[in-house]
Structure formats: structure tokens, C-alpha cells
Amino acid sequence: MKAAWILLILLASAILCTPVAAEETGPRLIVSEYRLDPQVLMKGDVGVLTIRLTNTGPDPATINSARVNGVEVTVKQNPYTDVLSLGSGDSITFTYTVYTEAPDGLYYVKFTVDYREGGQLRYAIPVEVDSTSLRIAVVETPAALAQGMKGTYQVVVGNPRPNAASAVTVTPEGEGFVVTPSSSFVGTLEPDAQSTIPFMVTPLRQSFIRFRVNYRNGINAHTATVTLPLDPSENRFTPELALTGIRVTAGPGYLRISGNVTNIGLDHARAITLTTGGEATPADPFRVFTAGVLEPDRSTPFEVTFRAHTSVSRVPILLSFKDAQGTTYTDSMDVEFDRQALAEQASEPTRFIMLLVWMLVIVLAAVIIYAWRKG
Amino acid sequence: MAFPLMSLLVNPNAFFSRDSSEWESLRVPALIVLAAAIMAGATAYLTTDLVAGIMPSDVQAYQGVMGIVGTIGAVVITFLIWVVWSAVFFVISLFFQGQGTFRRILAVTGYGYLPILIGSVISLVIFWIFSPAIHVSPVTDVQEIQAAVMALMHQPVMILVSVLGIIFLLWAANIWIFGIRYARVISLRDAAITVGVPVALYVIATVWNMGVVS
């Protein structure tokens, strides 16, 4: 009787200690390998689960179906419902598409194989869900952010995920600045690895700059961003032009604006051009005024000529110049003028001439009187 | 013999009372008219430059041609007007039994162009100095050209030139009166009517066109 009890205990232990839950009553099939791509899913991700089944028994095995089931991690499709035969020592690979909306955690999907002769092989496969995203941070900004001046932003992308991220790309976004490079490709970022990318940013006005990292977890696209304000101060070392001594006069068939253009900035102004805009039509002889380099605190006289309808009494002067970096600056200044004043200017000499006219009239009268007296 | 310039200008009676053989030649009058015509041509060239500024931009491409045509036209028209004035004086003086030939009237009228020549020089200088102050804008509609030209002609400088033209025309009329008197052998009163009526009509028409009288 005691020997019978020992035998029963040994038999139970043999059953409970079997490492793979293979059904001992049928063929000897085992899950020799499984793989999930990506290794760790993020919430909303789709993964590809590959399971390799091997016949380790001496006889061929025939199965009716092989399927995967799960609760938190679901299978999109179970395509293997046909009868399959697996010879001794042969293997077969099953591929399933899994999907999860579960929060972070470790979940299991159940792989079940139905034998034709009856019985099943059941195998639990762990699936890890971790929605931690890549980290992107700006670790270095220009000491002084000046309008129109380039500054370097050091952007770091780190991977705190337990698996690698692929196709990592960092792209700056926004308006009101010029940036190079327009995008930077990092490639694959291993777990706990990081990459530093420099971006040369030239702010043109107050705005925001957003650095976006795009990456893939398996076949799933993800993104993360970091946004910084761009609040450039006025560049103290740029050229700045001012127009002074503006005078509007009339010419033969055109109006003339003359004055001085002065560089009140702290840097050389280059490729200076002045012309009229708005309702004014630049006209010869000075459609456009151009000047080469104008040093700080220096001025040069300018003159532009234009035509405008008689109803126009204000025209903008369009200024354009460049700094040493080749950045183009534009500005405009409205010049008002009084058409009546120009008309008076035109007729002002007439007052003097009218004196001459009256003198001529008097001379003529004297001549006529003299001639008629003599006649 | 020196040309009695001052006599012609201030005492035309003395100039024309000389023997007619001394003044009835057309050579000197024609030279005076030619000089006046050249002055008129120069003024016309400057005026064309202004008028071209009014024209649409595609027409302005022909500004050079317009200037040449305007200059030649002014020269030719000056000679024509010389003949027209002479013809008018000749016809009117017929009513007063004038006897002289048309050639003599041409000579008298030509001498009368001397103050007109002086006036043309003064006008040209004034126009040269002050025309840059005239502002014109190109028109976009052809129908606006006439109004724009009228506006141009009413510019102070243009009116001043017209007024000077009238003054020197009156001076010329004074010479013409005494010249016609001797050329057609009529009384001073008849000569005054012969010259005064058409000149007065011309002056009235000019003033009317200036817009002073409307």
C-alpha cells in the first residue's frame, strides 16, 4: 500500500513538473521559439507575433488549427484553421498580428494548437506594454538671442524605452525664423542611448520654435515635441538706416525725393537700395538709388524720382540693405508732400517773372507812346 | 550800313519813313522770322517733352520722334503764320484802298517779328528754367489726354509764356501799324484798324484759351 502511494506521488510530480504544457497523450510538439516585433508595445501599437512550432516526437503530427487569444492584447486575425501535417523533427512558423490598447504592464496571450487526434497544446506568451515615449530636450541655447543673428540650439533625443526606436528624425517647426538643417536623421536609437543634434537658428521675429522627434516602434509611428519661445531682442550689432533731411521737389515730369540716408546701426550696411513704392511709379532719371557699403555713423545723400497721380500726396520709400552675414533687411518710410506747396513752388519764380512782365508792359507802353508821338 | 535796330523797335515810323528800297527787301525780315521760328521750335521741343509725359507709357516710346516732329512743325508754322498775318493785313487794307504790294507787306510783317523774336528768347529761357517744376502724370485712358494737356497748358509757367507772347505781339503790332501805313500808303488810323482788329481778335482768343476769361 505504501509503495502504491509513492508511485502515485511520483506520477503526479511528473505531470506537474513538465516544462512545456504539451499534451503527453498525443504527438510531442513544442513551441521552440517566439518573437514579438516590436519587443515592447506601446498603447495603440500593432505588433507582429511569430511562433515557431517544432515536432520533437518520432511520429508525424497533424493539427487542425493553431490560434492565439488574449484579453488586453488582442489578435487581429487567426489565419491558421486548415489541417497541417508536421513530420518528425520539422518546424512550422505561425505569424499573428496583435494589437493593444492596454495601459503599461505585462500581459499574456495564449497560443493553442488543436491535434487532429484530439487534445491541445497551450502555451502562454508574455507581451510587455510600455508607452514611455522618446525624450527630446533642448540642452543648449544661444547666450544672447538677437534678431537676425544665428544661434546654435543643441537638441538631445534620448530613448528611455526598453527597446530600440527606429527611423528617429528631429525636425524644427514654426515660423518667424530660419533654421539649418531643416531636419536631422538619427536612425536607430538603442535603449538608454541618446543623440545630440545642433540646429542653427536665425530668429526673425518673436515666435515659437518646436523641435519634433518622429520615430517608429516596430511599424508604429510616434512623435514627441518640445517647444521653446523665440523672443529675440533687437540686434544691437546690425546696420540700421535712417532717412533725414527729406525734401520733395518737382522735376520735369516727375517728383523728386532727396535727403540723406544715415547708418545709425553698429554694423556696416551693404547693398543699400532705395526706391518708391505704393501708388508711386519709379521714373527716370533716378528710379532706384543704390549705395555700396555705408559705415556706422556715416551718411550719404540720396535721390529718387517717381511719377504719381495728382491725387497722391504720400508715397512710401522702400529701403533694403544687408548685413555682413548677408541677411536682407527691408524697411519703409512714408513721405508726405503737399501738392499745393509743389504748385506754389512751381509758381514762386513766376512772382519774380511777373515783375519782369510788368516792366516789359511799361517799356512797351513807353515805346508805343514814343512811337505814336513821333509818328 | 548798320541795321537800325533801335529805330525799328522804338520808332518804327522813322524806320519805315525812309526810302522803301531800304526796307522792302525780304532778306532781313526772312532772317528775323527764321530766328523766331528756331526759337519757337526749341520751345516746342521742350513742350513736347512735357506732353510726352502725359501720354501712356507705350506712346512715350516715341518721345524722340514727337520732339522732332514738334520742332519742325513749329518752324514751318511760324513761317506760315508770317504769311497768314501778311495776307490778313493785305486783305483788310484793301478796304482802305491800300496800294502797296504783298511783298512789301511781307517785309513789314517780317520786321515786326523782331520783338516776337526777343519775346521768344525770353520765353525759352523762362520755360527752360521753370518747366522742371511742372508735374505731369501719364494718363491711362486716351480720353483723358485732352484734359491732361489742358491742365498742362494752365500751368503758371505756360500762362506766363502766353502772357509774354501777347506783350511782344502788341509790340510787333505797333511796328506793323507804322509799316503797313507806309507799305500800303494808307493813313495811320486805317493802318491801326488794319493791324489792330486781327491782333485784338488774336489776343482775345489767346486769353480765352488760357482760361482767364470763360
Side-chain angles (χ1 to χ4, degrees):
Chain A
M1 185 65 188
K2 191 175 180 180
W5 274 108
I6 291 170
L7 186 63
L8 187 62
I9 289 169
L10 286 174
L11 186 61
S13 299
I15 293 169
L16 290 172
C17 293
T18 303
V20 178
E23 188 63 54
E24 293 299 329
T25 55
R28 291 172 64 93
L29 293 179
I30 64 166
V31 174
S32 55
E33 185 186 357
Y34 66 84
R35 183 160 46 89
L36 179 63
D37 184 28
Q39 290 177 345
V40 180
L41 295 175
M42 296 173 75
K43 186 177 181 179
D45 274 3
V46 171
V48 178
L49 178 61
T50 307
I51 302 170
R52 186 175 179 84
L53 192 65
T54 304
N55 182 3
T56 58
D59 301 319
T62 304
I63 59 177
N64 279 342
S65 67
R67 60 188 182 278
V68 170
N69 298 102
V71 178
E72 293 85 0
V73 179
T74 58
V75 178
K76 287 198 157 186
Q77 197 177 2
N78 269 307
Y80 306 105
T81 55
D82 296 333
V83 175
L84 293 170
S85 184
L86 203 61
S88 174
D90 289 349
S91 295
I92 185 169
T93 300
F94 301 97
T95 302
Y96 300 91
T97 303
V98 296
Y99 172 78
T100 184
E101 279 290 346
D104 291 2
L106 185 63
Y107 306 98
Y108 290 89
V109 292
K110 189 168 62 181
F111 178 57
T112 306
V113 177
D114 294 322
Y115 296 123
R116 190 181 63 177
E117 295 81 5
Q120 291 181 324
L121 166 67
R122 291 185 294 275
Y123 190 82
I125 299 173
V127 175
E128 186 180 355
V129 177
D130 186 343
S131 297
T132 304
S133 180
L134 294 195
R135 295 284 187 263
I136 180 168
V138 178
V139 296
E140 189 180 320
T141 58
L145 199 59
Q147 195 171 357
M149 288 194 72
K150 284 181 184 172
T152 303
Y153 285 72
Q154 298 284 0
V155 178
V156 169
V157 180
N159 184 7
R161 290 185 53 74
N163 63 317
S166 61
V168 179
T169 306
V170 180
T171 307
E173 299 175 344
E175 294 179 346
F177 57 85
V178 178
V179 60
T180 51
S182 58
S183 181
S184 182
F185 182 73
V186 177
T188 299
L189 207 55
E190 296 298 330
D192 294 328
Q194 70 174 36
S195 179
T196 303
I197 306 112
F199 286 97
M200 305 294 286
V201 179
T202 307
L204 303 177
R205 56 180 165 82
Q206 191 172 11
S207 63
F208 289 88
I209 184 168
R210 178 185 297 114
F211 293 100
R212 179 181 295 280
V213 56
N214 292 304
Y215 62 98
R216 287 187 179 280
N217 186 37
I219 61 170
N220 308 282
H222 294 277
T223 186
T225 61
V226 61
T227 303
L228 286 181
L230 272 183
D231 190 10
S233 60
E234 195 169 343
N235 190 352
R236 293 166 293 174
F237 298 101
T238 58
E240 190 178 349
L241 299 185
L243 305 181
T244 56
I246 299 294
R247 189 161 171 263
V248 183
T249 52
Y254 56 76
L255 292 177
R256 176 194 301 110
I257 298 177
S258 58
N260 290 309
V261 53
T262 306
N263 184 0
I264 58 173
L266 297 177
D267 195 8
H268 290 61
R270 292 167 168 80
I272 302 166
T273 63
L274 275 84
T275 188
T276 50
E279 296 178 81
T281 305
D284 288 328
F286 302 111
R287 291 173 180 268
V288 180
F289 168 81
T290 61
V293 178
L294 190 60
E295 297 176 6
D297 298 329
R298 290 294 180 90
S299 63
T300 184
F302 76 91
E303 184 175 4
V304 288
T305 49
F306 66 97
R307 294 179 192 272
H309 194 266
T310 49
S311 62
V312 176
S313 61
R314 174 193 299 205
V315 298
I317 297 182
L318 305 179
L319 262 166
S320 173
F321 56 96
K322 295 181 178 180
D323 63 10
Q325 286 76 36
T327 306
T328 301
Y329 298 84
T330 57
D331 197 2
S332 71
M333 174 184 172
D334 281 354
V335 173
E336 288 189 36
F337 49 90
D338 188 350
R339 284 283 178 157
Q340 186 62 35
L342 288 177
E344 287 176 5
Q345 177 196 349
S347 56
E348 190 174 357
T350 308
R351 295 194 192 108
F352 171 74
I353 296 299
M354 284 309 290
L355 182 65
L356 183 67
V357 169
W358 281 112
M359 288 173 63
L360 282 171
V361 170
I362 292 168
V363 169
L364 176 62
V367 166
I368 291 173
I369 291 169
Y370 177 80
W372 281 76
R373 278 191 176 174
K374 287 287 183 182
Chain B
M1 179 186 138
F3 182 74
L5 181 70
M6 286 305 292
S7 174
L8 174 62
L9 289 173
V10 300
N11 190 6
N13 184 60
F15 182 86
F16 290 109
S17 62
R18 297 176 299 163
D19 188 273
S20 61
S21 62
E22 293 183 27
W23 51 263
E24 67 182 0
S25 167
L26 284 178
R27 189 166 59 91
V28 174
L31 283 174
I32 294 172
V33 173
L34 175 63
I38 291 171
M39 290 299 111
T43 306
Y45 185 84
L46 292 178
T47 309
T48 307
D49 192 40
L50 278 175
V51 172
I54 295 173
M55 300 299 173
S57 53
D58 50 345
V59 180
Q60 287 184 22
Y62 301 98
Q63 183 174 342
V65 177
M66 290 166 65
I68 293 170
V69 170
T71 303
I72 295 173
V75 172
V76 172
I77 286 172
T78 302
F79 277 98
L80 279 177
I81 290 175
W82 174 34
V83 177
V84 168
W85 279 121
S86 302
V88 169
F89 299 151
F90 183 81
V91 171
I92 295 176
S93 61
L94 286 176
F95 294 99
F96 305 111
Q97 285 79 43
Q99 295 172 7
T101 62
F102 184 71
R103 178 191 174 88
R104 292 178 70 174
I105 289 189
L106 267 178
V108 165
T109 311
Y111 281 120
Y113 264 76
L114 184 59
I116 292 177
L117 168 62
I118 297 170
S120 297
V121 172
I122 294 173
S123 295
L124 181 63
V125 171
I126 290 173
F127 200 77
W128 177 267
I129 293 172
F130 297 112
S131 66
I134 300 174
H135 176 65
V136 295
S137 294
V139 298
T140 53
D141 189 348
V142 177
Q143 295 178 340
E144 297 175 2
I145 290 178
Q146 187 180 0
V149 171
M150 286 302 293
L152 175 65
M153 293 305 157
H154 288 161
Q155 292 281 336
V157 173
M158 303 299 281
I159 291 176
L160 177 65
V161 169
S162 298
V163 170
L164 286 175
I166 290 172
I167 291 173
F168 285 99
L169 178 66
L170 293 176
W171 197 336
N174 187 57
I175 295 173
W176 287 338
I177 289 169
F178 289 98
I180 293 295
R181 176 189 182 183
Y182 290 101
R184 295 288 279 169
V185 196
I186 56 178
S187 69
L188 186 60
R189 172 184 157 276
D190 293 343
I193 294 171
T194 299
V195 174
V197 170
V199 168
L201 289 175
Y202 179 85
V203 169
I204 290 170
T206 304
V207 173
W208 187 281
N209 282 332
M210 283 160 54
V212 178
V213 180
S214 60

